[in-house]
Every structure is written in C-alpha cells, then in structure tokens.
C-alpha cells in the first residue's frame, strides 16, 4: 500500500490497483499547487471527511474528470448529487460498507461541517478502512475524543492519520494521546503548515512524539511511504 501526501489533509492511497483520494485541497494550497497536478490524479474513489473548503475544494473537478465514486456522509453525497455527480455513496456515522478495495467504517469526528456556500454538511466524520491486510484510521478534522479508545479496541490499526496543527483541530499533544487511545505506535501528521495559524515546529513535534515512544511521520508534499 502506497501512501502519498498531497498537502494539508489530502492523501492518495494506491493499493492492489485501487486508487483512493482523501480530502482534496490542492489548487488553493500554496504549498502544494506547484507540486501536485490534479489533472494527473485519476482516483477510483474520493473520500471526504467533512464539507469545509480546505477538504473539498478540488473534489468537484476531480469527481467530474475521473468519474470516481464519492464516499462521504449523506449530506455531502447529496450536495454533489445536486451538482450532477451521480457516482456517490452516502453513509453515516457508525455504518460500514464493503467496496471492492475494502471495508469503510464511518466514525465520528468532533468538529463542524458546512460548505463555503453555507450548505449544511452533516456531521463531520473520520474513516476506519480495512483494506487487504491493512487497517488504518483517517481522523479528518477532529478534537481528541475518548471514544477513540473504542476504535483502538475494535480494530487493530496499522497506522493513524491525525491532525496535528492545533487551533482548528488537535495539536501534537492531543494527537499523541490519541495514539494511546487508538493503540498505534506510528501516525501520519496532517492539517499543519498550510496556513500561518497551523504552522508547527517539525523538530519539536517529532521530539514530543519520540519522548512518548511514538513515531510521527511528516511526509513532504508529493512524497510517499509504503505501509
Ligand atoms: Ni474543518
Ligand atoms: Mn480543515
């Protein structure tokens, strides 16, 4: 499984020939727009955690050009349906569904969710994905919440994608606590550096994680790791 970072909270996961794009926000992201060309992305699925602009901006264009299937909470699925996109799969919190690439569990996130035009985006969400012999948790934008312990008990996670930029989401301290709740040793940081208010000190965050016996992975934009 290859995990490629597209900046902010956007990732492109390739697995067994399936290509899955998370929370596309590339063309307005000054850190990513010259590195990632959205025209070269040709996902089979786009997963959206919540409606905020910094998670959805490029979704409509990529959905139309790739004919990918959108997986998101009901209200977000309906929003794109109303824009003429027919390949949508709506879900809701606590539900799971098995697709050809694996099983997606939609889990809660503590955040808010509305589109730029004010349309209600339903509850914000995260995803636990069981794909082949890998299980991972993509938290979306969220505060730390104690039910992450339940995720840690119900799944044997290989890795977690956690926001670490603070202000709008968890910061590094809560993200490390989250890894304890989730029972994971390594986590991929997201939702940092894109805007001045979420800039982080990479060395300090890395040190903080290490001090707690955790491995923080900060991928360069365009960079990837194999899981
Ligand atoms: Ni958000
Ligand atoms: Mn966000």
């Amino acid at each position: 499984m290859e995990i490629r970072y597209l900046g902010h909270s956007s990732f492109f996961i390739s697995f067994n020939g399936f290509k899955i794009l998370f929370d596309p926000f590339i063309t307005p992201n000054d850190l990513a727009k010259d590195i990632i060309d959205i025209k070269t992305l040709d996902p089979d699925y786009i997963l959206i955690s919540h409606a905020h602009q910094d998670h959805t901006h490029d979704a409509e264009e990529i959905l139309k050009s790739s004919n990918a299937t959108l997986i998101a909470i009901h209200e977000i699925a309906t929003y794109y349906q109303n824009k003429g996109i027919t390949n949508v799969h709506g879900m809701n919190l606590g539900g799971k569904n098995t697709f050809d690439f694996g099983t997606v569990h939609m889990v809660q996130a503590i955040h808010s969710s509305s589109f730029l035009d004010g349309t209600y985006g339903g509850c914000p969400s995260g995803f636990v994905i069981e794909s082949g012999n890998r299980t991972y948790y993509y938290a979306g934008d969220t505060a730390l919440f104690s039910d992450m312990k339940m995720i840690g008990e119900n799944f044997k996670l290989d890795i977690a994608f956690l926001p670490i930029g603070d202000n709008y989401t968890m910061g590094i301290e809560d993200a490390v606590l989250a890894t304890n709740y989730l029972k994971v040793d390594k986590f991929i940081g997201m939702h940092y550096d894109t805007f001045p208010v979420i800039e982080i000190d990479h060395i300090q965050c890395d040190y903080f994680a290490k001090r707690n016996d955790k491995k923080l992975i900060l991928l360069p934009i365009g960079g990837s790791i194999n899981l």
Side-chain angles (χ1 to χ4, degrees), residues 8 50 54-55 141 191:
H8 200 51
H50 66 293
D54 60 318
H55 299 260
D141 279 8
H191 215 271

PDB file of all heavy atoms in Angstrom, residues 8 50 54-55 141 191, ligand 2:
ATOM      1  N   HIS A   8      -1.761  19.485   3.147  1.00  0.00           N
ATOM      2  CA  HIS A   8      -2.850  19.697   4.098  1.00  0.00           C
ATOM      3  C   HIS A   8      -3.361  18.350   4.643  1.00  0.00           C
ATOM      4  O   HIS A   8      -2.587  17.644   5.267  1.00  0.00           O
ATOM      5  CB  HIS A   8      -3.961  20.552   3.473  1.00  0.00           C
ATOM      6  CG  HIS A   8      -4.841  21.192   4.499  1.00  0.00           C
ATOM      7  ND1 HIS A   8      -4.330  21.913   5.548  1.00  0.00           N
ATOM      8  CD2 HIS A   8      -6.198  21.225   4.655  1.00  0.00           C
ATOM      9  CE1 HIS A   8      -5.336  22.356   6.300  1.00  0.00           C
ATOM     10  NE2 HIS A   8      -6.482  21.944   5.780  1.00  0.00           N
ATOM     11  N   HIS A  50     -15.367  15.913   5.706  1.00  0.00           N
ATOM     12  CA  HIS A  50     -16.361  16.942   6.049  1.00  0.00           C
ATOM     13  C   HIS A  50     -16.319  18.025   4.981  1.00  0.00           C
ATOM     14  O   HIS A  50     -15.471  18.010   4.091  1.00  0.00           O
ATOM     15  CB  HIS A  50     -16.141  17.481   7.460  1.00  0.00           C
ATOM     16  CG  HIS A  50     -14.873  18.249   7.660  1.00  0.00           C
ATOM     17  ND1 HIS A  50     -13.630  17.669   7.587  1.00  0.00           N
ATOM     18  CD2 HIS A  50     -14.656  19.560   7.928  1.00  0.00           C
ATOM     19  CE1 HIS A  50     -12.708  18.585   7.813  1.00  0.00           C
ATOM     20  NE2 HIS A  50     -13.297  19.739   8.006  1.00  0.00           N
ATOM     21  N   ASP A  54     -11.250  23.540   2.915  1.00  0.00           N
ATOM     22  CA  ASP A  54      -9.878  23.017   2.917  1.00  0.00           C
ATOM     23  C   ASP A  54      -9.852  21.484   2.899  1.00  0.00           C
ATOM     24  O   ASP A  54      -8.786  20.876   3.080  1.00  0.00           O
ATOM     25  CB  ASP A  54      -9.066  23.568   4.099  1.00  0.00           C
ATOM     26  CG  ASP A  54      -9.652  23.207   5.451  1.00  0.00           C
ATOM     27  OD1 ASP A  54     -10.897  23.280   5.598  1.00  0.00           O
ATOM     28  OD2 ASP A  54      -8.886  22.853   6.364  1.00  0.00           O
ATOM     29  N   HIS A  55     -11.022  20.870   2.616  1.00  0.00           N
ATOM     30  CA  HIS A  55     -11.099  19.408   2.456  1.00  0.00           C
ATOM     31  C   HIS A  55     -11.850  19.012   1.193  1.00  0.00           C
ATOM     32  O   HIS A  55     -11.903  17.829   0.843  1.00  0.00           O
ATOM     33  CB  HIS A  55     -11.760  18.764   3.691  1.00  0.00           C
ATOM     34  CG  HIS A  55     -10.977  19.035   4.919  1.00  0.00           C
ATOM     35  ND1 HIS A  55     -10.117  18.114   5.477  1.00  0.00           N
ATOM     36  CD2 HIS A  55     -10.852  20.171   5.658  1.00  0.00           C
ATOM     37  CE1 HIS A  55      -9.511  18.680   6.519  1.00  0.00           C
ATOM     38  NE2 HIS A  55      -9.942  19.922   6.645  1.00  0.00           N
ATOM     39  N   ASP A 141     -10.788  16.189  10.396  1.00  0.00           N
ATOM     40  CA  ASP A 141     -10.540  17.268  11.358  1.00  0.00           C
ATOM     41  C   ASP A 141     -11.265  16.895  12.638  1.00  0.00           C
ATOM     42  O   ASP A 141     -12.482  16.686  12.624  1.00  0.00           O
ATOM     43  CB  ASP A 141     -11.132  18.596  10.854  1.00  0.00           C
ATOM     44  CG  ASP A 141     -10.246  19.304   9.854  1.00  0.00           C
ATOM     45  OD1 ASP A 141      -9.240  18.714   9.414  1.00  0.00           O
ATOM     46  OD2 ASP A 141     -10.577  20.457   9.497  1.00  0.00           O
ATOM     47  N   HIS A 191      -2.945  18.324   8.371  1.00  0.00           N
ATOM     48  CA  HIS A 191      -3.581  19.578   8.789  1.00  0.00           C
ATOM     49  C   HIS A 191      -2.611  20.480   9.554  1.00  0.00           C
ATOM     50  O   HIS A 191      -2.929  21.018  10.611  1.00  0.00           O
ATOM     51  CB  HIS A 191      -4.835  19.292   9.634  1.00  0.00           C
ATOM     52  CG  HIS A 191      -5.949  20.288   9.430  1.00  0.00           C
ATOM     53  ND1 HIS A 191      -6.063  21.437  10.164  1.00  0.00           N
ATOM     54  CD2 HIS A 191      -6.988  20.316   8.569  1.00  0.00           C
ATOM     55  CE1 HIS A 191      -7.130  22.110   9.773  1.00  0.00           C
ATOM     56  NE2 HIS A 191      -7.715  21.449   8.796  1.00  0.00           N
TER      57      HIS A 191
HETATM   58 MN1  LIG B   2      -9.741  21.651   7.991  1.00  0.00          MN
END
